[in-house]
Structure formats: C-alpha cells, structure tokens
Amino acid sequence: MDTSETGATVESRDTLETRELRYFTVVAEELHFGRAAERLGMAQPPLSRAIQQLERRVGVTLLQRNRRGVRLTGAGEVLLAESRAALDAVSAATRRTRRAGGADRPGGPRTRLVLALKAAGSHELLQRLLDAYAAEPDAAEIEVLPCGMCEQAELLRDGRADVALMHTPFNSLAGFDSEEVLTEGQIAILPARHPLAARTTLTLADVSDIPDLPLARWPRHGSYPPGPGPEIHDQTQLAQLIALGRTTAVFPDSARAWLWAEHAAVPLSDAPPVVTHLAWPAHSRSLALAGLVRTATQL
C-alpha cells in the first residue's frame, strides 16, 4: 500500500457520514434493530449492514448483540454522545443558514434573528432592547421565542434560536459568547394574604421552609427536582397556584411586571444577584447579531 492509499484509509476512518450517525443514534436509543428500522422507515437488514460497516470503519465494536438483546459498549456510549452533538450541529447550521437566506419564510424578510428568553422574564429590558435595535438603519427582524425554564441553551445549540437572554446563576453560559446587560436582586412571590407578605424582606431560609406554602418546582432537563411543591408547567399555572395560596416562587426582581393583584413580592436579603446576559453561539459570524449585541451594550 502506498502513501496515498494509507492517507485515504485514515481519512475514511476519521470521516463519518451524517446518515451513519443518524442510523447509529436511533439504534442506540432503541437498543432494538427492529424498532430502530421502523422509526427510520427502512428495512432491518440494510440497517444492520450499515451499523456493521460503521463498526468496521471506526475499528471498534459499538454494540454488543446476543439473544437477550442489544447493548452499547463503552465506545458506543462515547459515539452516541458525539453523534447527538454532531447531528444537532448539522441541524443548527441548516436552520440558521435557511433563516439567514429567508428560505424558512417565503416572501418574508431576508434577515431575521430569533431571540429566546424564559417566559415572563426581563419585560422592561427586552422592550428597551427591541426598541433601540429597531431604530438602527440595518436592523433585522427580531422574532421573540418564549421558552421554559433553562431551555435557552438547547435552543441556541440546535439552531432554533440565534441569541438568548440567559440568567446566571440559573443558566450555564458554557460554550457561548455573552454580554452582561442587567444585574438585579431576587424576590419571593407570595399570596398577598399570607402573613409573610407583610414583611419588608425575607431570607432564602424563610421561603424554603413554609409548611403551608411549599416552593414551586420547575422542570430541568426533562425532570422535576424532589420536594413537596407542585410541579409547574408554565407561568399562568404558577400565577394561579400562588394566588390560591398553594405555592410560592423565587424570581428576579423584574418578575414584578407580571404579578397579579393577588400576589405580593418581598425582596430576598441574602439571595445572590441575578445577572442577565445576551448570549449567542461562540462561532457565530452574523452581522445582524453583531448589531444586536452592540445595541445591548449601549442600553
């Protein structure tokens, strides 16, 4: 084998196709070739051959097969995590490219940015940012995408959003570039008729141990933390349960904007400040995004 042949062999082992990664990911998630083939809309034999070819190319066993079923090897677990990240990156690139060229909305503006933010968060800041950016001569259209608790990072990574308002210490900024745009304190939101609502300040210990008013629980990464408080699905449900005297919640001070007459907001004296960041993928080269960031830094 000559040098050029060796180079071609190394390249074929180091280069995987999107199709192969998608096939492997579905098999790894189902741990059953029949169900995976049905999910992919294909016959089982070609799927089995594709996985065998993939194992030959990478030079390791990815799946252990026996009469009891299929399970991932250590190498297979590594490839599953890497495959998901790679497929997300490909999807994100496709979404952002189509959005940049206007292909996702025929007849619509050719320049558009999707801004993700936690529902009910940073109303005043968001309005000031949108108004200031709209006044720029080459401003893109901004689509606001409300999301659930701590979902902004996922939306940025998979390309459904170009930029997000994220809040530390609640959101992780790992893998993103960001600019700080607001620092504020935290408040406890209580039923207006509760005795603690008359206090001028509370502590985190005060609100974490109210026998008749357990803290609300928000989902994180698909599951709820343990505790006696109700599982919250959206802001309207939370507002209703607080008004009925069934729960309490801790929010940044800017959440006062959505409180009802039946709610009371009491500052927390020992809660860490919440810092709102405008965050975006570190590799972004969007001129429209750069303009939005520049506007945010001037607020």
Side-chain angles (χ1 to χ4, degrees):
M1 182 181 294
D2 62 23
T3 305
S4 61
E5 232 177 358
T6 303
T9 302
V10 171
E11 183 180 358
S12 66
R13 288 192 173 190
D14 290 345
T15 304
L16 300 178
E17 297 178 4
T18 303
R19 175 183 56 84
E20 293 176 309
L21 296 181
R22 186 172 69 254
Y23 286 0
F24 171 74
T25 299
V26 174
V27 173
E29 289 174 349
E30 296 290 344
L31 292 178
H32 189 282
F33 277 88
R35 289 194 299 268
E38 183 177 354
R39 185 170 149 191
L40 288 164
M42 63 186 298
Q44 183 174 332
L47 176 60
S48 298
R49 291 194 295 271
I51 297 301
Q52 291 169 355
Q53 181 181 1
L54 174 61
E55 289 179 317
R56 287 195 296 271
R57 289 185 63 190
V58 297
V60 295
T61 300
L62 302 170
L63 299 164
Q64 293 284 0
R65 309 159 180 82
N66 54 44
R67 282 177 293 182
R68 291 193 296 272
V70 179
R71 67 178 181 86
L72 285 168
T73 65
E77 290 178 355
V78 170
L79 184 59
L80 176 58
E82 297 288 350
S83 294
R84 284 171 170 161
L87 292 172
D88 283 348
V90 170
S91 296
T94 302
R95 288 189 177 109
R96 290 197 178 97
T97 300
R98 289 176 58 81
R99 192 156 57 238
D104 63 328
R105 284 173 73 177
R110 293 190 61 81
T111 305
R112 185 166 64 96
L113 293 174
V114 176
L115 169 62
L117 75 160
K118 182 180 67 178
S122 310
H123 288 288
E124 183 181 350
L125 170 66
L126 177 61
Q127 193 61 64
R128 287 194 290 122
L129 174 59
L130 294 178
D131 289 347
Y133 180 65
E136 295 293 323
D138 297 321
E141 177 191 359
I142 302 293
E143 177 184 335
V144 176
L145 177 62
C147 64
M149 181 73 72
C150 297
E151 290 181 352
Q152 298 97 313
E154 179 183 350
L155 295 173
L156 287 178
R157 291 193 180 99
D158 70 13
R160 284 177 288 169
D162 302 292
V163 61
L165 286 175
M166 300 174 70
H167 313 277
T168 58
F170 306 116
N171 300 131
S172 171
L173 298 174
F176 303 118
D177 285 343
S178 64
E179 284 284 348
E180 295 184 15
V181 291
L182 177 68
T183 299
E184 59 186 321
Q186 297 193 61
I187 55 174
I189 304 177
L190 308 161
R193 66 180 183 274
H194 194 277
L196 289 179
R199 297 270 293 272
T200 56
T201 63
L202 292 169
T203 66
L204 288 170
D206 291 333
V207 297
S208 65
D209 190 25
I210 308 175
D212 59 333
L213 212 60
L215 279 167
R217 293 181 293 141
W218 291 90
R220 289 175 180 268
H221 309 298
S223 63
Y224 287 87
E231 296 181 352
I232 301 302
H233 307 289
D234 56 51
Q235 178 203 337
T236 302
Q237 178 200 22
L238 174 65
Q240 182 82 55
L241 290 175
I242 294 176
L244 292 171
R246 303 301 177 89
T247 190
T248 186
V250 173
F251 270 81
D253 190 76
S254 56
R256 294 176 186 270
W258 59 264
L259 297 189
W260 297 0
E262 296 88 348
H263 300 154
V266 182
L268 293 169
S269 59
D270 60 346
V274 176
V275 182
T276 300
H277 303 255
L278 195 67
W280 61 94
H283 62 270
S284 176
R285 296 296 181 268
S286 167
L287 293 179
L289 175 57
L292 180 66
V293 172
R294 184 170 56 252
T295 300
T297 62
Q298 296 169 354
L299 292 177

